[in-house]
Amino acid sequence: QVQLVESGGGLVQAGGSLRLSCAPSGRTSSNYAMGWFRQAPGKEREFVSAITWSSSRTYYADSVKGRFAISGDNAKNTVVLQMNSLRPADTAVYYCAASYDVRVIYQPHRESLYDYWGQGTQVTVSS
């Protein structure tokens, strides 16, 4: 069982930045991808960003493209989400996830392909 631990959430004014980090709590085997999803109050959880290790490709939802940047360390199974130019619409609980399913390489936005999830970290952007 893999446990993922997120950190870095908080309260920030619109236009500000936050940096989210995610790391496993213990030793883990290599996965195919790690991603970030978010869930705003009253809404379904949605894809934000992902990185696939085989090609080091990164993926972003249209709503965050150009503002967020994902990076990570494949050997350590850690991932960071740098969030800039934050907007009130970015307010949500952000979840880190890891996938051991090879299909995620072709569908990194697909939530069901992620096997392990963190507990979530709250990001609140005030206007």
Side-chain angles (χ1 to χ4, degrees), residues 102-123:
V102 67
R103 294 174 295 175
V104 77
I105 295 174
Y106 309 103
Q107 301 179 76
H109 61 283
R110 190 171 165 188
E111 184 177 334
S112 62
L113 295 181
Y114 288 82
D115 304 284
Y116 299 101
W117 294 79
Q119 80 285 355
T121 185
Q122 177 70 46
V123 170

Side-chain angles (χ1 to χ4, degrees), residues 29-81:
S29 58
S30 296
N31 51 54
Y32 287 103
M34 294 190 73
W36 289 94
F37 292 75
R38 68 185 182 187
Q39 187 169 22
K43 295 186 177 181
E44 294 187 353
R45 190 157 56 185
E46 65 176 3
F47 171 77
V48 175
S49 180
I51 183 167
T52 55
W53 302 121
S54 59
S55 59
S56 295
R57 288 190 65 179
T58 57
Y59 303 84
Y60 299 95
D62 288 343
S63 60
V64 307
K65 206 170 290 184
R67 300 187 298 120
F68 291 11
I70 190 170
S71 60
D73 186 328
N74 187 14
K76 298 179 181 179
N77 286 340
T78 59
V79 66
V80 170
L81 185 68

